[in-house]
Amino acid sequence: DMLIGTESARLATYKAAWLAEQGEKNTYMASIAKCMAADNANRCASDAVQIFGGNGYNSEYPVEKLMRDAKIFQIYEGTNQIQRLIITREKLEKLKTEGMD
């Protein structure tokens, strides 16, 4: 599951970058990529802490730091809740102009 989420976020990031390179608006895909990657980082860190059990919260193990570091990705450069609002807004705008797809 960790790899599935990571590869999915990576592909969304690549698509957002490709759209930017093409000179197209990439707000929708960039928000999806950011939100997906941040959520997955938190899931992976949480799973790693679970795997280590009680030692997962011990500062002697790197997973404790990974858990703290992963949380910042959901907050930095727009919280994931804001990213979800951006995704919804962009999709609604597209539906208004292009219709259902």
Side-chain angles (χ1 to χ4, degrees):
D1 287 342
M2 291 178 182
L3 288 173
I4 291 168
T6 301
E7 291 299 327
S8 298
R10 182 175 288 134
L11 288 171
T13 302
Y14 289 163
K15 184 170 183 181
W18 180 82
L19 288 169
E21 284 183 350
Q22 302 304 308
E24 296 182 34
K25 186 176 178 182
N26 74 338
T27 307
Y28 178 73
M29 281 309 301
S31 290
I32 287 174
K34 193 262 184 213
C35 192
M36 185 184 296
D39 282 347
N40 186 62
N42 274 278
R43 252 188 320 276
C44 289
S46 178
D47 288 351
V49 168
Q50 292 282 334
I51 290 168
F52 277 80
N55 287 327
Y57 292 101
N58 188 333
S59 60
E60 293 178 20
Y61 289 83
V63 293
E64 181 267 341
K65 185 178 182 323
L66 291 174
M67 185 72 175
R68 286 186 287 119
D69 291 347
K71 189 63 184 167
I72 195 68
F73 289 116
Q74 288 183 319
I75 300 166
Y76 187 70
E77 290 195 17
T79 66
N80 277 12
Q81 289 80 10
I82 297 297
Q83 297 303 321
R84 286 177 170 90
L85 289 174
I86 292 168
I87 293 164
T88 302
R89 183 191 68 217
E90 292 292 319
K91 188 63 173 181
L92 288 173
E93 285 178 19
K94 185 177 179 182
L95 289 172
K96 284 181 191 175
T97 58
E98 299 176 12
M100 300 293 280
D101 61 351

